[in-house]
Amino acid sequence: MDSRTFTVQQIYQDRRQYRVPFYQRPYVWNRNNQWGRLWEDIQDKAETQIQGGKSVPHFMGAVVLEPQKKAGLLGVERHHIIDGQQRLTTLQYVLKALTHTLRVVQKERMLPLVETCLGNANPETMENESVERFKVWPTFRDRDQYELAMTSSSPEELLQRFPASYTQSGKLRKIGINHPPALEAIVFFHESMLDWINDISSDGDVSSRTEALVSVVLTNLSIVCISLGEDDDAQVIFETLNGHGAELHATDLIRNFIFMRAGTDADDLYNYLWRQFEAPIWSELQSRGRLNRPRLEWFVQTAVQAQTGEEIDIGRLYVEYRRFVDNTAGLHGAGAQLKMLDRFGEHYKKLVTGTGDAPIATFGRRAAAWDASPTHALALRVAVSDLAPKEQTNIFIYIESYLVRRAVCGLSRKNYNKVFSQQLKRLIDSDLTAESFRSNLASLTGEASRWPSDEEFRRHWVNGAVYPGRLDAAKLRAVFYHVETVMRSVRTEEPLPLALDVLDIDHIMPQSWYAYWPLPSGASASSEEAGLADLMRFVGEGTLDAKTEAILQRQDAIRTMGNLTIVHYGVNRSLQNRPFEEKRNALFNHSNLQLNRNLMQCSTWGEDEINKRGEALAAFALQIWPSPMQITVE
């Protein structure tokens, strides 16, 4: 390992290119956090030089470089930037801004000194002139805007190349647009330089101030360049520099781990197998419990679990991924790893977005409300298997039934990671069929893992305190969507209901029923009596009077499935606690749902009607979410 201090002129004077590897993140420095401070340092040094003071070099930090071996005589000397791409790239923007400034103030005589630091000479001896002519070559995410900005010859040409970033008067827009960093940086430094040079109230004239500025940029900014030797492990150094800074995601390190093994195939592997994972969908933050991670991290965790059947700790994803590769035959090369990720990637995207007609996409849509992430690895394994679509669909129906039935029955989901990890291992270790999966899942016993029977499911559906209680609004909407779908016949004008997430959950008999909803005996009750009845609930059977018993029966019935429906929020909020007749008329006028059709035919609404409707809806639910003993798709 060799460490030396260089000026900007020394760093860029040789016929050399500093290349940002695939695994590095894009350029992220900006005006507020870095450019402004750098310009202040440059300006201070230039002021000192104009005033004849002693110039002390400004230290910009260190960069770590990994020299690359040349395959032949052609081509420039190349160094991979292990750490410090932000500094080296920013200096290129400063130098490009300086060339624009020299032309504007008509001091072109100094241009060759600066331009030598921006481009490599002798293109006829390059392997790829379009790339090797640049002193710094950024990562793929920055290349297009970088090349456009760095090949511009004037501020006017920047305007022509980036018209969307400028106002009609030719100024860079300040509101409503995120400018390409290369453009914004060059414009910022150019305008700052021009203002400083033309500041006639300060010392020196335009010529002396220009010369001082060029001198400071080329000779008074210094960087320590650490160049790795052949025996130095770039991977270990990268992790040491970046792994503890909380700036990189686990998948940045994983990408580094993969592409450091890519060799000469890196470009092809990126273009054909990795590029898809650079799409915005993969960087979106997704929450699971208290954890908030980019979707790509959840995907890699899920893919490794689907491949191995082992639970992977998301907090140690990079370490777990390395261990997985090291312990898996045939996965040591970059190509094999990327093919594995590619194999799962498209299926995972269908799963989490619910788009398309594939069985896993349908499952993704249907299971989205049920906190189904513990099933994702299993779902991926099913999707990449050789099973026919009907077999895959059956497995997904069984999983959904398991989730829905347990939720309706009020059973805990704390054991789901273990349950579905075990099922995944069984499928990996044996022949994968829908019947074997159903049998394995149905064999589970105990409160933490059993699959509720038809009788248990029906009983909790009809009598259970569903909302508020066991199901939140999203789950209840999902339930009603599927029930509504099954209730529609082939003669229904719209075989599938419209999106129901814009509709409110409505208690037909309201939770605050006291004003307009007398008890079956005809007696009225107040909220105070209802509160007292709830307190008396635990006294014991046979000790409560008839009115208290009736109040408690009503309080229980209100939260059951038979008393719940979905209506437009305007209807719900205007009639929340009104009498049944008014609610029924509003449904007749505004609702097209089969769920509400029978309600419109009722003359009264009480505990008996709630129970009957609950039983009727349960019959549909038993069709949608089959029992552990039921075979689904013929």
Side-chain angles (χ1 to χ4, degrees):
M1 184 182 295
D2 179 53
S3 175
R4 299 182 190 180
T5 301
F6 294 98
T7 66
V8 169
Q9 192 172 40
Q10 291 169 334
I11 291 171
Y12 295 120
Q13 68 182 355
D14 294 331
R15 193 167 177 266
R16 171 185 295 184
Q17 182 179 78
Y18 302 102
R19 181 169 291 196
V20 184
F22 285 113
Y23 53 82
Q24 295 279 16
R25 306 181 83 181
Y27 182 81
V28 294
W29 277 16
N30 58 63
R31 175 174 181 168
N32 292 333
N33 297 326
Q34 291 89 17
W35 303 338
R37 293 204 301 268
L38 176 58
W39 168 247
E40 288 175 2
D41 293 330
I42 293 172
Q43 181 178 260
D44 289 344
K45 294 296 179 186
E47 294 281 3
T48 300
Q49 193 167 122
I50 284 288
Q51 295 164 8
K54 184 178 179 180
S55 181
V56 179
H58 172 68
F59 178 59
M60 287 189 63
V63 298
V64 181
L65 307 172
E66 182 186 28
Q68 303 297 299
K69 291 182 179 180
K70 286 179 63 175
L73 294 175
L74 297 177
V76 302
E77 183 183 334
R78 286 193 320 205
H79 293 252
H80 281 181
I81 307 173
I82 303 303
D83 192 63
Q85 66 139 323
Q86 308 290 334
R87 293 177 178 86
L88 292 177
T89 305
T90 301
L91 285 173
Q92 287 290 291
Y93 296 152
V94 171
L95 291 165
K96 173 51 69 172
L98 189 53
T99 65
H100 290 341
T101 304
L102 290 174
R103 290 189 176 95
V104 171
V105 299
Q106 299 181 348
K107 300 298 177 183
E108 290 92 340
R109 196 162 65 92
M110 286 182 280
L111 270 176
L113 295 172
V114 181
E115 289 179 332
T116 300
C117 298
L118 285 169
N120 289 312
N122 302 323
E124 64 275 5
T125 61
M126 295 178 182
E127 289 183 308
N128 185 349
E129 179 189 350
S130 64
V131 172
E132 294 178 65
R133 59 180 172 155
F134 295 98
K135 290 290 186 179
V136 172
W137 188 237
T139 186
F140 47 88
R141 286 158 291 193
D142 295 326
R143 285 176 188 167
D144 290 344
Q145 50 101 0
Y146 178 87
E147 189 169 2
L148 281 173
M150 294 300 293
T151 56
S152 64
S153 60
S154 66
E156 291 73 26
E157 192 169 354
L158 284 176
L159 187 152
Q160 293 172 4
R161 294 184 176 190
F162 299 93
S165 288
Y166 287 85
T167 64
Q168 291 184 347
S169 62
K171 298 293 184 181
L172 208 62
R173 294 182 185 274
K174 295 182 179 180
I175 300 175
I177 185 171
N178 291 322
H179 302 294
L183 168 67
E184 191 171 5
I186 292 170
V187 170
F188 167 73
F189 286 114
H190 167 64
E191 291 179 348
S192 300
M193 291 172 180
L194 204 57
D195 289 344
W196 184 81
I197 288 173
N198 291 323
D199 185 3
I200 59 175
S201 64
S202 299
D203 296 326
D205 55 18
V206 169
S207 294
S208 61
R209 293 175 75 80
T210 303
E211 185 173 344
L213 183 60
V214 173
S215 176
V216 166
V217 171
L218 293 181
T219 65
N220 274 49
L221 301 179
S222 64
I223 288 181
V224 171
C225 291
I226 302 171
S227 187
L228 304 185
E230 290 186 5
D231 296 329
D232 295 319
D233 190 336
Q235 169 71 37
V236 173
I237 291 170
F238 181 86
E239 293 173 21
T240 301
L241 291 170
N242 296 302
H244 304 292
E247 292 294 326
L248 294 180
H249 294 298
T251 44
D252 292 315
L253 293 172
I254 289 171
R255 179 177 54 209
N256 164 58
F257 177 78
I258 294 172
F259 277 101
M260 274 196 169
R261 287 149 181 78
T264 57
D265 296 329
D267 286 350
D268 287 341
L269 290 174
Y270 165 72
N271 287 324
Y272 293 111
L273 295 174
W274 181 264
R275 182 187 288 272
Q276 61 178 313
F277 298 118
E278 299 296 337
I281 186 175
W282 297 105
S283 61
E284 293 174 1
L285 293 177
Q286 301 294 305
S287 298
R288 294 186 187 176
R290 292 175 293 177
L291 298 177
N292 202 29
R293 301 293 175 92
R295 180 176 278 128
L296 186 59
E297 290 196 17
W298 295 118
F299 161 66
V300 173
Q301 179 205 39
T302 305
V304 174
Q305 288 181 170
Q307 187 74 15
T308 64
E310 303 289 338
E311 290 190 53
I312 302 298
D313 182 358
I314 192 69
R316 302 180 70 252
L317 180 59
Y318 174 56
V319 175
E320 297 271 23
Y321 181 84
R322 289 191 61 170
R323 181 175 62 84
F324 157 64
V325 171
D326 291 341
N327 295 335
T328 305
L331 272 187
H332 294 171
Q337 294 174 54
L338 290 171
K339 287 177 182 175
M340 183 273 295
L341 294 174
D342 177 68
R343 179 179 177 229
F344 290 117
E346 193 61 31
H347 294 294
Y348 187 82
K349 188 159 63 172
K350 292 176 182 177
L351 171 65
V352 297
T353 62
T355 55
D357 298 325
I360 194 170
T362 302
F363 174 69
R365 290 193 297 273
R366 293 175 65 104
W370 299 99
D371 307 317
S373 58
T375 73
H376 285 180
L378 174 63
L380 278 192
R381 188 78 186 198
V382 171
V384 300
S385 71
D386 294 329
L387 285 173
K390 283 187 177 181
E391 283 280 282
Q392 294 188 26
T393 297
N394 271 346
I395 291 177
F396 292 138
I397 288 175
Y398 292 141
I399 295 173
E400 184 189 352
S401 173
Y402 180 89
L403 298 176
V404 173
R405 284 182 176 231
R406 285 186 60 85
V408 170
C409 293
L411 298 174
S412 172
R413 63 181 305 275
K414 291 182 179 179
N415 204 39
Y416 284 2
N417 281 330
K418 182 178 180 181
V419 167
F420 289 105
S421 178
Q422 290 175 343
Q423 297 308 310
L424 176 58
K425 286 181 180 179
R426 289 184 177 182
L427 294 178
I428 291 174
D429 295 338
S430 60
D431 292 336
L432 175 64
T433 66
E435 177 54 29
S436 66
F437 175 79
R438 183 204 59 76
S439 178
N440 289 334
L441 196 60
S443 68
L444 298 177
T445 58
E447 292 297 294
S449 56
R450 62 185 174 81
W451 188 355
S453 65
D454 279 354
E455 176 52 33
E456 182 181 6
F457 181 47
R458 187 203 63 78
R459 184 175 68 255
H460 284 283
W461 179 283
V462 175
N463 301 317
V466 177
Y467 185 79
R470 295 171 182 174
L471 303 184
D472 58 27
K475 291 181 175 63
L476 200 51
R477 286 192 189 97
V479 164
F480 281 140
Y481 179 91
H482 297 307
V483 171
E484 174 70 18
T485 301
V486 172
M487 291 179 76
R488 297 190 176 204
S489 70
V490 293
R491 296 185 179 182
T492 303
E493 291 86 347
E494 296 174 334
L496 293 177
L498 299 175
L500 303 183
D501 55 355
V502 297
L503 303 183
D504 274 352
I505 306 299
D506 179 49
H507 294 82
I508 303 164
M509 179 184 289
Q511 296 182 84
S512 297
W513 49 272
Y514 324 109
Y516 300 104
W517 299 73
L519 295 168
S521 64
S524 62
S526 66
S527 59
E528 290 78 11
E529 288 177 299
L532 182 60
D534 282 331
L535 292 175
M536 297 292 292
R537 182 184 296 273
F538 305 102
V539 171
E541 264 186 62
T543 61
L544 302 179
D545 59 59
K547 184 174 183 180
T548 300
E549 291 276 11
I551 291 174
L552 290 177
Q553 185 179 0
R554 169 155 295 182
Q555 296 282 79
D556 291 339
I558 283 172
R559 295 192 291 164
T560 63
M561 199 70 76
N563 189 51
L564 299 169
T565 192
I566 43 180
V567 296
H568 188 274
Y569 68 89
V571 174
N572 183 33
R573 295 170 194 183
S574 64
L575 297 171
Q576 282 184 341
N577 300 318
R578 304 301 295 174
F580 176 67
E581 183 179 359
E582 292 185 30
K583 284 198 167 190
R584 181 189 61 197
N585 292 339
L587 291 176
F588 185 82
N589 291 329
H590 302 291
S591 179
N592 294 321
L593 297 179
Q594 295 289 329
L595 278 165
N596 297 327
R597 176 160 298 199
N598 288 339
L599 297 175
M600 303 173 197
Q601 300 172 0
C602 293
S603 57
T604 59
W605 191 256
E607 287 78 353
D608 289 342
E609 288 78 14
I610 290 172
N611 187 73
K612 289 177 183 177
R613 184 169 180 268
E615 293 281 6
L617 294 179
F620 291 108
L622 290 168
Q623 297 176 39
I624 300 168
W625 298 288
S627 76
M629 298 296 109
Q630 186 173 341
I631 296 176
T632 310
V633 178
E634 298 179 357

